[in-house]
Amino acid sequence: MSEAIIAKKAEQVAIVAEKMKAASSIVVVDSRGLTVDQDTVLRRNLRESGVEFKVIKNSILSRAAEKAGLEDLKELFVGPSAVAFSNEDVIAPAKVISEFAKDAEALEIKGGVVDGAFTSVEEINALASLPNKEGMLSMLLSVLQAPVRNVAYAVKAVAESKEDGAA
């Protein structure tokens, strides 16, 4: 192999390793058997969720995973592999891919990484069932508002009972 090709592959490994290090979550899939239309829809859904989706050679993925300190990922790079990287929303790739896989049986989730920890297919599917960040924040806000609302109702009830007693 020429030195130019080796240098180019080393550069690709470095780029993918940086993406792996920067990602809050990574999901590895086998997308063999998807139609062009299905692949286009999947890529659009992932892009709209802020997720980068790439088909990368297993040799480059393996070297990049090793360089990024994610050696456990290497076992997933067998057969055709596509990788979804998310830097912001931990749940987004799992949610979009799991939802899409319900209708597209050809899409197979292999596993991934969430916050630096190796994640199985079952864990990715469980993660996908969680609400997104906005949903979790709204749930938290309603929990935090409940005590204040209860105090307001109590004060109102006391005020109304005093009005009824005064009348």
Side-chain angles (χ1 to χ4, degrees):
M1 217 183 301
S2 75
E3 288 187 30
I5 293 173
I6 292 172
K8 185 173 181 176
K9 287 187 177 189
E11 182 183 338
Q12 288 176 328
V13 167
I15 290 169
V16 174
E18 283 305 312
K19 287 182 184 190
M20 287 180 172
K21 286 179 189 176
S24 58
S25 68
I26 301 169
V27 176
V28 181
V29 299
D30 179 350
S31 59
R32 229 181 344 192
L34 288 181
T35 66
V36 173
D37 289 339
Q38 288 174 321
D39 188 56
T40 303
V41 170
L42 174 61
R43 288 175 185 269
R44 183 180 337 113
N45 292 349
L46 288 166
R47 194 172 33 254
E48 288 171 357
S49 298
V51 178
E52 183 178 357
F53 187 70
K54 298 260 185 213
V55 176
I56 304 170
K57 285 185 166 188
N58 288 338
S59 59
I60 292 176
L61 287 170
S62 293
R63 289 185 182 112
E66 196 171 301
K67 191 171 183 176
L70 300 170
E71 286 83 10
D72 292 341
L73 264 183
K74 289 170 62 173
E75 70 185 50
L76 302 178
F77 304 135
V78 177
S81 298
V83 184
F85 302 97
S86 178
N87 294 345
E88 296 161 13
D89 190 353
V90 175
I91 298 172
K95 187 176 273 308
V96 172
I97 291 172
S98 291
E99 192 65 36
F100 191 82
K102 290 177 185 174
D103 295 329
E105 293 176 14
L107 185 67
E108 176 193 344
I109 299 171
K110 295 181 176 183
V113 172
V114 175
D115 285 331
F118 182 77
T119 309
S120 69
V121 176
E122 295 78 23
E123 293 169 322
I124 288 173
N125 287 329
L127 184 65
S129 66
L130 294 174
N132 63 11
K133 185 177 179 180
E134 290 79 22
M136 288 183 156
L137 288 174
S138 70
M139 289 168 48
L140 176 65
L141 185 60
S142 72
V143 167
L144 293 174
Q145 285 178 337
V148 174
R149 191 177 3 198
N150 291 341
V151 169
Y153 288 142
V155 169
K156 182 179 177 187
V158 169
E160 287 175 354
S161 70
K162 287 193 177 193
E163 285 177 6
D164 291 343

